[in-house]
Amino acid sequence: MNNAQQIDKGRLMRMATYASVMTAVTLIVAKLIAWFISDSVSILATLVDSSLDVLASMVNLVAVNHALQPADREHRFGHGKAEPLAGLGQSMFIAGSAGILLLQAISRLIRPQELTAGVGLGIGVMIFSIVATLVLLSFQRYVIRHTGSTAIKADALHYKTDLLVNGSVIVALVLAVYGLSVFDPIFAIAIALFILYSAWSIVREAIDLLMDHELPDEERQKIRATVLNHPNARGLHDLRTRRSGTTVFVQLHLELDETLSLKEAHAIADELENAVKDLFDEAEVIIHEDPITHLPPNPQSIK
């Protein structure tokens, strides 16, 4: 990948974090007004969630900028793991917001309160929130497709849950118009539980990246097929893969005929390193050549 492509990728990721922060701040102002007028605990739930969105997005902003820094003497493999660390930070914010919502909703369920004022305004704010979130998500999907950023994926996952949250609040407010205000705290509890579930999804992905979890089997099979398709490849072993930020790291031992010269073996390894790199947007590949004696030709190379 050339420098221009890398600069574009970094620019996209930074733009996504800026857009996330601005969207969250805008929604906080709108929801704060709606909650102050209506006193709906469901709107309070989304207000708390949007407030945590700002903190999470700011963590993302710092993490993405750090992750995009090039490798240095102290960090030879780059700074990509700043992204899953940001994901863990986001999950703590999300879980905290869920806990606050549960306490507020249970309190309102024990001491019910009719919603009379500001219901129409609340519904309007929720519709506005859905539209703004859809616009942000469309941009985030574009960025994820071109960068594979873990931090942006985590942020997008949170905003996807916001769509369901905002939709459920609209339903709760409509029911309140017909005298069914009890559904307001019930929906808030459901929202809190769903937020906890989304937090666990982020934690699981972040831990996989921090623990250098292998790439999916489908991607590992593509690597194997690419290597074994070379006419001089006799096999491979000790394939190791991991992902750090937007970069994929691949290491493997390539089995070659022992009669090849060092220059020939090195040229073959270079060809295969480039071929494996082409499978990913950004990758670092290390191939170690192992001499093999008295093996038949690679059956996968026979056309």
Side-chain angles (χ1 to χ4, degrees), residues 226-249:
T226 299
V227 172
L228 295 176
N229 192 51
H230 194 283
N232 292 108
R234 296 292 176 260
L236 68 88
H237 60 275
D238 290 346
L239 172 61
R240 299 179 182 181
T241 61
R242 66 185 178 93
R243 187 184 297 273
S244 179
T246 59
T247 305
V248 170
F249 292 87

Side-chain angles (χ1 to χ4, degrees), residues 215-224 243 279-280:
L215 296 181
D217 288 340
E218 179 182 351
E219 294 184 359
R220 286 171 55 83
Q221 288 302 321
K222 287 182 180 178
I223 296 171
R224 289 182 177 275
R243 187 184 297 273
L279 298 175
F280 306 96

Side-chain angles (χ1 to χ4, degrees), residues 200-213:
W200 169 243
S201 299
I202 296 172
V203 168
R204 186 170 53 192
E205 181 176 355
I207 289 176
D208 281 349
L209 290 171
L210 289 171
M211 296 298 292
D212 291 332
H213 194 278

Side-chain angles (χ1 to χ4, degrees), residues 59-172:
V59 169
N60 256 9
L61 181 61
V62 174
V64 165
N65 277 287
H66 187 69
L68 290 172
Q69 298 299 315
D72 53 37
R73 293 185 58 148
E74 287 76 30
H75 306 89
R76 297 290 186 177
F77 293 98
H79 301 79
K81 287 192 176 181
E83 287 198 55
L85 284 173
L88 286 178
Q90 278 202 23
S91 68
M92 288 189 286
F93 287 132
I94 295 169
S97 69
I100 294 172
L101 300 184
L102 277 174
L103 291 176
Q104 291 288 339
I106 291 172
S107 175
R108 183 61 61 87
L109 194 60
I110 295 172
R111 294 184 292 275
Q113 180 177 333
E114 292 295 323
L115 301 179
T116 55
V119 172
L121 173 64
I123 293 175
V125 168
M126 290 303 103
I127 293 174
F128 170 74
S129 298
I130 289 174
V131 173
T133 303
L134 284 172
V135 172
L136 175 64
L137 281 172
S138 65
F139 180 57
Q140 287 180 325
R141 278 196 298 267
Y142 174 81
V143 174
I144 292 169
R145 188 165 64 248
H146 287 80
T147 68
S149 169
T150 302
I152 305 301
K153 284 180 183 178
D155 210 30
L157 175 62
H158 195 196
Y159 279 101
K160 285 177 184 176
T161 66
D162 285 353
L163 289 177
L164 296 177
V165 168
N166 293 330
S168 67
V169 171
I170 291 176
V171 175

